[in-house]
C-alpha cells in the first residue's frame, strides 16, 4: 500500500512548530562516537530516517545504542566495536549519504571499513571523489567493489596537507573524523565552515581533539592517540527553520519556530526581510509572518556558508512565485537542484530555467549543460495538481505550493519528507493545514 496525501490549499499556516537537532549534524556526531573509548551522549535528537540508519550501522559494528525518544537522547557505547558482515552493511545501500563518513572512525577502531552504495537526494551527481582523495592522502587503501567500497589502512593513518577543490561539507567532515586520531598534523585548506561543521568540531574537542579553524578556510588538526566519549546538545536544524519560515511567507501565514537560532540563519533572515517577510527573534525561537501587501522580487545566489544556503532555495522559490515582479535565483552548489520547479509550473507558476550563470559571479556550472539559473515572474495564482515528491527540499516546496494553491492537490512519496522533517504530518495539522493521509494500492 502507498500513502497518498490530499491537500486542500488556500489557507494560511498559523501556529507553532518545534525544531530539534540538525539533520546535517546529528548523524555525523553519532559516527564520531566510534572514536571514543567511553560512551557518548547526544541530545536534541530528531526522529528522522538518518538517525535510524546510523543507529543500525553502529549497532551492527558492535556499538550499543540506546535511543530514548521521549527525551530525544541517544547513548552510544563503543566498547564492543567489531567488524560487521558485508551483507548486514549492504542492507543499508541507497539509504543515506552518511555511511561514507564511517571510513576514518572505523579504520581507527578496527583497521578497516566497508561502505555500502550511498543514497541521498537526487539533486546532482553527488560524487565522492574528494572523500576518496583525502582518505588516500591519510594513507588509506581504497578498493571499489560491486555494492560498495572496501577501505583499510595497512600502514596506519597519518596527518596530511590537504586542499579541497570546493568547500565540500561532507569532505571536510571526512577529514575531521579521520585526522583527529591520525598520527601527526593535518592541514586542510578550502574547508567548509558551515555551523554544522563547527558543531562537529565542538563534539570532537569535547572528546579530546585539538582543532584550530583559521579565518581563511584552513583547519589544522593535531592528531591524538586516545579520545573519550562526549555529552552534547545538537545545534538546531536551521534548514527546517528556514523551510517553515518560507511556508509562512508563501501561505500568507504566521509561524513561530521554537528552537530556530538567529546566529545560524543570518543570510536567510536578510533575504526574508528584503522579500517583505517579517520576523521577530525571541529567546527560544523566531516568529515568521507575512506582513500583508505584495512581496518583493529579488536576485539571489546560493553559496557555501556564510552565503545563502542551497537547502533554503527551494522552499523560498515558492514564496517568490507570489512576489510582484521578476526574481532570479542562481544555484551554485548543486548542478541539478531546479527539477522541482516542473511541478510548480504545472500549478501555474511562471519559472524559466537557464544554463547561463544569471548571477554576479560565474560559477562551476556555467558553460556546461546544467539548468542552474531560474527566472521567476509573479505573482501567479497557483492551483492544485497531482505530484510525486522528488527529494527532501524540493518535496517540501511542492507541499508548501499545494498549501498556497487554491483547490486540491494529491502527493505520493511522503516518506522522503520524513528523512529530514520530523513529525511532519503532526506539524502540518498543528498549523491548521487541511490535509489527509490515506492508503491506496500502488
Ligand atoms: N562534491 C564533489 N565531490 C565530492 C563531494 C562533493 O564534487 O567528493 C560536490 C557536490 O557534488 C556538490 C558540492 O561539492 O556540488 C557540495 O557538496 P557537499 O559535499 O558540500 O554536500 P554534502 O556534504 O553531500 C551536505 C548536506 C546537504 C547540503 C550540502 C551543502 C548532509 C547530509 N547533507 O551535503 O543537505 O545541501 O551539504 O551545504 O549534511 C539537505 O539537507 O537536503 C541536503 C542535501
Amino acid at each position: 500500500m502507498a500513502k497518498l496525501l490530499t491537500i486542500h490549499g488556500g489557507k494560511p499556516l498559523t501556529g507553532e512548530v518545534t525544531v530539534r537537532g540538525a539533520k546535517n549534524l546529528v548523524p555525523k556526531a553519532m559516527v564520531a562516537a566510534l572514536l571514543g573509548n567511553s560512551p557518548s551522549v547526544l541530545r536534541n535528537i530528531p526522529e528522522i530516517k538518518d538517525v535510524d540508519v546510523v543507529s543500525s550501522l553502529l549497532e551492527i559494528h558492535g556499538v550499543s545504542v540506546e535511543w530514548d525518544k521521549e527525551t530525544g537522547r541517544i547513548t552510544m557505547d563503543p566498547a564492543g566495536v567489531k567488524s560487521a558482515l558485508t551483507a548486514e552493511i549492504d542492507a543499508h545501500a541507497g539509504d543515506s549519504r552518511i555511511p561514507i563518513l564511517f571510513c576514518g572512525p572505523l579504520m581507527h577502531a578496527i583497521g578497516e571499513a566497508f561502505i555500502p552504495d550511498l543514497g541521498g537526494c537526487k539533486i546532482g551527481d553527488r560524487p565522492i571523489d574528494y572523500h576518496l582523495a583525502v582518505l588516500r592522502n591519510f594513507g588509506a587503501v581504497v578498493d571499489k567493489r560491486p555494492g560498495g567500497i572496501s577501505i583499510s589502512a595497512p600502514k596506519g593513518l597519518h596527518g596530511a596537507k590537504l586542499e579541497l577543490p570546493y568547500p565540500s561539507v561532507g569532505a571536510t567532515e571526512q577529514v575531521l573524523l579521520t585526522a583527529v586520531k591520525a598520527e601527526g598534523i593535518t592541514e586542510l585548506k578550502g574547508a567548509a565552515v558551515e555551523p554544522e561543521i563547527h558543531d562537529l568540531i565542538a563534539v570532537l574537542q569535547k572528546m579530546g581533539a585539538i582543532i584550530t579553524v583559521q579565518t581563511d578556510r584552513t583547519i589544522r588538526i593535531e592528531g591524538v592517540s586516545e579520545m573519550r566519549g562526549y555529552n552534547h546538545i545538537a545545534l538546531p536544524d536551521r534548514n527546517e527553520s528556514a523551510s517553515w519560515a518560507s511556508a509562512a511567507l508563501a501561505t500568507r501565514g504566521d509561524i513561530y519556530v521554537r528552537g530556530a537560532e538567529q546566529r545560524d540563519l543570518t543570510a536567510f533572515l536578510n533575504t526574508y526581510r528584503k522579500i517583505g517577510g517579517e520576523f521577530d527573534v525571541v529567546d527560544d525561537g523566531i516568529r515568521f509572518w507575512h506582513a500583508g501587501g505584495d512581496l518583493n522580487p529579488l536576485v539571489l545566489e546560493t553559496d557555501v556558508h556564510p552565503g545563502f544556503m542551497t537547502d533554503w532555495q527551494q522552499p523560498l522559490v515558492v514564496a517568490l512565485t507570489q512576489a510582484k515582479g521578476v526574481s532570479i535565483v542562481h544555484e551554485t552548489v548543486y548542478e541539478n537542484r531546479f527539477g522541482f520547479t516542473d511541478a510548480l509550473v504545472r500549478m501555474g507558476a511562471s519559472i524559466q530555467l537557464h544554463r547561463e550563470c544569471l548571477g554576479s559571479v560565474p560559477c562551476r556550472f556555467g558553460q556546461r549543460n546544467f539548468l542552474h539559473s531560474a527566472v521567476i515572474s509573479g505573482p501567479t495564482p497557483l492551483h492544485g495538481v497531482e505530484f510525486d515528491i522528488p527529494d527532501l527540499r524540493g518535496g517540501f516546496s511542492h507541499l508548501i505550493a499545494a498549501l498556497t494553491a487554491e483547490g486540491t492537490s494529491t502527493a505520493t512519496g511522503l516518506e522522503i519528507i520524513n528523512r529530514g522533517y520530523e513529525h511532519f504530518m503532526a506539524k502540518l495539522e498543528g498549523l491548521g493545514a487541511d490535509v489527509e493521509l490515506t492508503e491506496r494500492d500502488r
Side-chain angles (χ1 to χ4, degrees):
M1 297 287 263
K3 287 199 164 59
L4 183 76
L5 181 66
T6 304
I7 304 148
H8 305 289
K11 205 173 149 205
L13 292 182
T14 55
E16 176 177 325
V17 293
T18 297
V19 296
R20 294 204 282 179
K23 160 189 154 290
N24 291 349
L25 174 274
V26 166
K28 300 154 186 187
M30 291 174 67
V31 175
L34 275 167
L35 294 161
N37 58 12
S38 56
S40 289
V41 176
L42 187 60
R43 291 177 281 156
N44 206 19
I45 304 278
E47 288 179 40
I48 54 171
K49 185 176 170 199
D50 273 350
V51 176
D52 287 322
V53 173
V54 176
S55 297
S56 171
L57 281 168
L58 287 172
E59 278 171 339
I60 61 182
H61 284 94
V63 178
S64 88
V65 179
E66 272 175 49
W67 181 1
D68 180 348
K69 293 191 175 166
E70 201 74 11
T71 58
R73 175 190 171 105
I74 272 192
T75 307
M76 296 154 287
D77 185 352
V81 63
K82 60 173 174 55
S83 296
L85 295 174
T86 309
E88 281 185 309
I89 300 174
D90 251 347
H92 291 292
D95 275 355
S96 161
R97 294 191 66 71
I98 307 297
I100 190 71
L101 296 177
F102 276 75
C103 291
L106 276 180
M107 280 191 288
H108 286 303
I110 52 173
E112 58 175 10
F114 179 74
I115 309 300
D117 286 338
L118 303 181
C121 291
K122 305 279 178 284
I123 49 183
D125 242 4
R126 307 195 80 182
I128 52 166
D129 50 336
Y130 305 166
H131 293 253
L132 299 184
V134 295
L135 286 164
R136 287 188 176 109
N137 272 296
F138 280 112
V141 177
V142 179
D143 181 14
K144 289 193 193 170
R145 297 203 191 144
I149 57 170
S150 180
I151 185 156
S152 60
K155 296 187 184 153
L157 295 165
H158 49 78
K161 256 185 178 314
L162 307 166
E163 180 155 9
L164 293 177
Y166 184 79
S168 152
V169 170
T172 300
E173 291 158 344
Q174 185 74 265
V175 171
L176 288 168
L177 290 165
T178 308
V180 283
K181 278 179 94 175
E183 197 193 329
I185 293 178
T186 295
E187 182 184 86
L188 174 65
K189 286 185 186 290
V193 290
E194 268 61 8
E196 293 78 13
I197 301 267
H198 282 284
D199 213 38
L200 182 63
I201 290 174
V203 165
L204 294 169
Q205 189 177 51
K206 285 177 177 176
M207 299 180 80
I210 301 171
I211 303 171
T212 313
V213 184
Q214 294 172 200
T215 47
D216 61 350
R217 292 191 178 276
T218 300
I219 300 182
R220 283 170 64 82
I221 304 131
E222 292 180 37
V224 295
S225 54
E226 281 288 306
M227 292 175 76
R228 53 184 172 272
Y230 65 82
N231 189 326
H232 190 73
I233 301 179
L235 90 169
D237 197 311
R238 62 198 176 113
N239 297 341
E240 184 177 358
S241 301
S243 299
W244 291 117
S246 298
L249 203 54
T251 64
R252 302 181 81 87
D254 186 334
I255 302 180
Y256 177 57
V257 184
R258 186 177 294 280
E261 182 85 66
Q262 177 184 21
R263 188 195 50 208
D264 304 332
L265 284 165
T266 313
F268 179 80
L269 294 173
N270 287 338
T271 303
Y272 202 76
R273 182 163 276 158
K274 284 199 239 173
I275 298 178
E278 289 280 356
F279 61 87
D280 188 22
V281 180
V282 295
D283 282 354
D284 58 359
I286 307 179
R287 176 185 161 211
F288 296 93
W289 72 99
H290 188 299
D294 290 326
L295 295 179
N296 310 312
L298 91 170
V299 177
L300 181 66
E301 211 149 18
T302 64
D303 206 349
V304 293
H305 189 76
F308 187 94
M309 199 184 177
T310 170
D311 297 302
W312 302 335
Q313 177 258 101
Q314 295 99 321
L316 201 74
V317 162
V318 183
L320 291 177
T321 68
Q322 303 308 303
K324 190 173 182 191
V326 177
S327 298
I328 295 175
V329 180
H330 181 206
E331 168 62 56
T332 75
V333 179
Y334 289 110
E335 69 275 24
N336 189 16
R337 213 168 191 181
F338 279 125
F340 76 100
T341 58
D342 287 358
L344 301 193
V345 169
R346 282 197 291 116
M347 289 181 180
S350 166
I351 304 176
Q352 287 91 38
L353 301 183
H354 297 270
R355 291 185 175 79
E356 291 75 15
C357 294
L358 300 183
S360 54
V361 213
C363 77
R364 301 171 290 153
F365 309 135
Q367 310 304 326
R368 295 166 69 195
N369 222 8
F370 302 124
L371 292 166
H372 72 294
S373 295
V375 177
I376 304 139
S377 312
T380 43
L382 302 180
H383 54 81
V385 295
E386 277 181 27
F387 58 89
D388 187 41
I389 289 171
D391 64 72
L392 183 62
R393 309 293 168 198
F396 189 92
S397 309
H398 291 173
L399 294 164
I400 308 176
L403 288 158
T404 307
E406 288 299 329
T408 300
S409 296
T410 50
T412 48
L414 198 65
E415 58 284 357
I416 293 180
I417 296 292
N418 297 330
R419 280 192 44 230
Y421 296 93
E422 78 162 342
H423 305 154
F424 179 72
M425 279 303 292
K427 284 181 183 172
L428 270 191
E429 281 162 357
L431 293 171
D434 189 351
V435 287
E436 191 191 356
L437 199 55
T438 47
E439 306 251 323
R440 71 159 189 199
D441 290 332
R442 281 180 193 278

